[in-house]
Amino acid sequence: MTSTDTRNPGDGRSHDDVDPPTMAIAIGDTAAEPPTTALPLQRRQPRPAAQQRLPWWWLWLPPVFVLLALALLPVAAATTDLDALDGWGLARVLGPAGWAALACAVAACVAELWSPRPRIPMLGIATTVLILCSTGMPSVVQPVARFSTAWLLAGFTDALSGGVPPTGIDARFYWPAFFAQWAFFRDAGGATQLDEVLRWFPPVIVGVWAIGIYALARSMLGGSRAPWAAAWLFIGLNWIEQDYFSPQATGIVLLLTVLTFALGPLATRRTDSAGVPGWPVPHPGAPRLPLLRRWVVAAMTPPNRPTLPPRQLLLIYFCAALCLLAVAPEHQLTPFAIIGQLVLLAVVGRFRGRGLVLVAILAVVVYILIAGREFWMTQLSLITGSGDQGALQAGVADRLAGDTGQIAVKYLRILMPGLTWLLAIAGAWVYWRRRRDLVPIGLAVVPMAFAAVQSYGGELILRIVLYGLPILSILGADALRKLVRHRRSLEKVLAVGMLALFGLLVLIRGGNDAYQVVRPDEVALARQTIAETPPGKSIVPLSHLGPYGVGGIATHSGGGSAPGCSQLANDVKRCVDEIYPDVIITFRSVENEGVVLNNKPPGWSLAAIQELVASGKYTLKYQSGFNAVLVKTPPPPAPAPP
């Protein structure tokens, strides 16, 4: 449209001075205009944590709880009556001071985590005290290390101090790295015994594991509180007790180190061409792509690269490769767990440096073909054995024996992994909703393949749970974080749950202490018996408990074997007649095992000793309570010739 000049033409201006007609801009239909993008609503930012003021007493609350817990531990050691142990284990005899120390350790962790600005050093100290008051409680209240296996492995270390592992004695000598390492430490330190190392090894190694869990959780979850919660959850759910002086414990350290590298500085994620992580997202309004096509696109998309300098990447590759090489001669199963998890990460493109998978495979294959060739040629049943049926039978069904306390504790050991997996599955769903990633739960599932490919015996189920527990704990912490963010009032409920969890930990881990506790006089008796028995003579325990293997592994025979006589206690008279060892040794723990676990009458071991002495085949050399040593009666001298 045009405009008309309405001014008076006689105002004295010339025609050239008249303004040209103005062209108005056409106004289109307002409905056809593109929508206006609204600016995001600027919400008021919360006050930074650094500006929040804490009550003066809150800053001192965690240190006070830590000091109280440490002060109560000597009282707990003095008030715990180990002679009153029964089928309920350590929890039944632990004094009030021990439970109070555990409660104070939990309170220190919770109080520091609840503060607006948690202090990293204080959280580290509180976590250390928590480990000492839970996993380390047996080390505090018992004068020497428990577990006959720990003393037996100390005997392996002593046997390997000469530099060459003995052959034909025990399969564990085919993986001698752990024993050689500690033999070197012992000789370099000028020590003759590892008694204190055995005693304090569990809490120390669990502390190292907790550092690995914290590092993994920082990579997977982020934040400043969730990684600590994941570490505490791992400690509280770790009832498996594979943290004693053993190659398995060191193998877990190496496994966590490799996983921390793979999911931390070496972690990658598949991206589309625009750099958006995850599967390709369709345009708004477009139909969703089929699942198979999304998988194909994601698989064909190359992963991105870690944003690290080449020198740092090279150092990380070197350290990871060193761990993979070290674990091959360390333990039978741990290398396969690492390889399985790395293969999964490589297939889904979640870490840079897939050559590490090749390094791990070559290390295991070369070690098996050279150092372990004799073992695998004679023990192929470990690969082609009975499979999961035998593992479940030996790991679950055969262990449900004993008195009421033993049955209750063992059912709790079955219940705990189930609850752990339920919590982890909930965490996997939360992790999937946030990051569209199911790889973590896959890392926990990989160790289950062990049950399908070999039969490791009753310990296999424990290994499966242990190898998956780090990832399960992190996923469980993610589920709990989501729950607390949804409803803050549940923080107090979770604090009470944490206290209950660590109380159950003491009960479950110490459930076998009636026959796993080792006493100083038993260690002295075992060492004296080994020293006084001539080399080449056989020393056989009545049952494989107590420190019977603390020495003499390479110099004294462990006796022969007979059907149904894996232990003399199975059928004392028949097994002794068939094996006929030179020396028989027994301890109080053997007596307690028969009463608590095998429902034998009290005093059964003393009756067995009296029967052997009455038969004339053995002579009682030493006896103090249930500790006894019997030696073969020498034959009567031949009559003199007339």
Side-chain angles (χ1 to χ4, degrees):
M1 84 183 180
T2 59
S3 64
T4 305
D5 188 6
T6 57
R7 290 176 297 180
N8 188 356
D11 55 1
R13 291 193 303 174
S14 65
H15 179 71
D16 295 334
D17 294 333
V18 178
D19 295 332
T22 303
M23 299 298 296
I25 299 175
I27 301 176
D29 188 6
T30 56
E33 293 181 356
T36 303
T37 303
L39 294 176
L41 180 62
Q42 297 295 327
R43 299 183 182 274
R44 183 178 180 183
Q45 297 294 328
R47 188 177 185 181
Q51 298 179 9
Q52 296 181 5
R53 298 187 61 183
L54 291 172
W56 66 270
W57 52 268
W58 192 278
L59 294 174
W60 293 99
L61 197 58
V64 168
F65 279 129
V66 165
L67 293 176
L68 282 175
L70 293 176
L72 288 169
L73 288 180
V75 182
T79 57
T80 300
D81 185 10
L82 298 178
D83 294 332
L85 284 167
D86 58 9
W88 290 96
L90 181 62
R92 187 70 171 266
V93 301
L94 186 63
W99 295 108
L102 179 62
C104 289
V106 172
C109 294
V110 172
E112 187 61 33
L113 196 70
W114 277 354
S115 63
R117 188 174 56 185
R119 296 163 291 184
I120 300 300
M122 190 66 244
L123 283 171
I125 294 173
T127 303
T128 302
V129 175
L130 179 65
I131 294 172
L132 189 62
C133 294
S134 54
T135 301
M137 186 61 75
S139 301
V140 173
V141 302
Q142 297 175 17
V144 295
R146 58 182 185 145
F147 276 154
S148 58
T149 309
W151 293 97
L152 181 62
L153 297 183
F156 287 177
T157 303
D158 182 72
L160 201 64
S161 60
V164 179
T167 58
I169 295 178
D170 195 285
R172 283 166 285 194
F173 275 124
Y174 288 95
W175 285 267
F178 176 82
F179 313 120
Q181 167 193 354
W182 280 100
F184 170 78
F185 289 159
R186 192 192 69 173
D187 296 342
T192 58
Q193 301 170 357
L194 294 174
D195 293 9
E196 291 303 317
V197 173
L198 267 62
R199 179 182 179 182
W200 297 106
F201 194 86
V204 172
I205 203 67
V206 170
V208 178
W209 292 358
I211 295 173
I213 300 299
Y214 175 80
L216 271 176
R218 283 293 299 269
S219 301
M220 295 176 59
L221 303 181
S224 58
R225 290 177 171 84
W228 292 103
W232 300 338
L233 197 60
F234 173 81
I235 298 167
L237 295 174
N238 183 23
W239 58 270
I240 308 158
E241 289 195 285
Q242 295 297 313
D243 44 47
Y244 60 92
F245 182 80
S246 65
Q248 175 71 87
T250 307
I252 295 298
V253 174
L254 299 175
L255 182 144
L256 288 174
T257 303
V258 174
L259 278 182
T260 302
F261 287 147
L263 296 176
L266 299 181
T268 63
R269 184 126 187 219
R270 294 192 184 276
T271 59
D272 63 13
S273 57
V276 180
W279 288 340
V281 179
H283 297 289
R288 189 169 180 82
L289 296 176
L291 180 62
L292 180 59
R293 183 175 178 182
R294 297 202 307 270
W295 283 354
V296 172
V297 172
M300 295 180 63
T301 305
N304 56 8
R305 296 187 176 186
T307 57
L308 288 177
R311 291 183 179 179
Q312 293 185 16
L313 281 177
L314 185 61
L315 178 60
I316 292 171
Y317 289 150
F318 173 77
C319 294
L322 196 62
C323 291
L324 294 172
L325 294 174
V327 78
E330 188 83 21
H331 191 250
Q332 298 98 310
L333 286 182
T334 307
F336 296 99
I338 297 177
I339 291 173
Q341 292 173 333
L342 288 182
V343 167
L344 175 63
L345 292 174
V347 169
V348 298
R350 288 298 309 274
F351 87 104
R352 180 91 177 166
R354 301 175 191 176
L356 293 175
V357 179
L358 183 61
V359 171
I361 294 175
L362 288 178
V364 173
V365 170
V366 170
Y367 185 79
I368 289 175
L369 292 179
I370 296 178
R373 179 180 58 182
E374 180 183 353
F375 174 79
W376 290 110
M377 290 178 62
T378 58
Q379 300 290 334
L380 288 178
S381 60
L382 287 180
I383 300 179
T384 62
S386 57
D388 58 345
Q389 183 178 358
L392 290 174
Q393 179 71 22
V396 179
D398 292 350
R399 294 174 182 254
L400 293 176
D403 60 10
T404 304
Q406 284 289 287
I407 296 295
V409 168
K410 288 167 183 177
Y411 272 115
L412 286 174
R413 291 175 180 173
I414 298 174
L415 181 63
M416 286 293 284
L419 295 178
T420 302
W421 269 97
L422 287 177
L423 182 61
I425 290 172
W429 174 250
V430 172
Y431 200 81
W432 164 259
R433 293 290 301 271
R434 187 176 72 253
R435 303 187 63 174
R436 298 293 177 183
D437 188 4
L438 289 178
V439 173
I441 197 68
L443 293 175
V445 172
V446 164
M448 290 186 176
F450 290 153
V453 299
Q454 60 88 49
S455 57
Y456 193 73
E459 299 290 329
L460 179 63
I461 302 299
L462 302 182
R463 298 300 198 277
I464 290 175
V465 177
L466 179 61
Y467 291 137
L469 189 57
I471 302 298
L472 296 178
S473 302
I474 294 172
L475 293 176
D478 201 14
L480 296 178
R481 179 172 64 176
K482 178 69 174 179
L483 188 65
V484 169
R485 286 178 175 177
H486 178 69
R487 183 171 296 180
R488 287 289 180 182
S489 59
L490 293 176
E491 288 181 341
K492 298 180 177 61
V493 177
L494 293 181
V496 176
M498 181 177 175
L499 181 60
L501 175 64
F502 278 90
L504 281 175
L505 180 68
V506 174
L507 170 63
I508 296 175
R509 286 179 63 96
N512 296 343
D513 276 8
Y515 49 89
Q516 290 291 355
V517 167
V518 176
R519 295 167 174 82
D521 58 336
E522 296 175 347
V523 178
L525 175 62
R527 287 195 169 117
Q528 181 179 357
T529 302
I530 294 169
E532 295 178 354
T533 302
K537 299 291 185 179
S538 59
I539 302 176
V540 179
L542 196 61
S543 180
H544 294 159
L545 290 170
Y548 67 93
V550 69
I553 301 295
T555 57
H556 296 82
S557 170
S561 60
C565 295
S566 59
Q567 296 188 137
L568 297 180
N570 294 344
D571 188 347
V572 177
K573 186 176 184 305
R574 180 180 68 86
C575 293
V576 169
D577 288 342
E578 294 193 17
I579 298 177
Y580 202 36
D582 296 305
V583 178
I584 298 176
I585 188 170
T586 184
F587 306 101
R588 179 170 183 169
S589 54
V590 177
E591 165 72 16
N592 291 344
E593 180 197 33
V595 175
V596 171
L597 189 61
N598 300 324
N599 297 319
K600 292 185 178 182
W604 70 272
S605 62
L606 296 179
I609 292 172
Q610 294 172 2
E611 183 179 1
L612 291 175
V613 172
S615 68
K617 297 180 179 179
Y618 286 90
T619 302
L620 186 62
K621 182 178 181 180
Y622 172 85
Q623 182 176 10
S624 175
F626 294 104
N627 299 333
V629 176
L630 290 83
V631 297
K632 187 186 296 184
T633 303

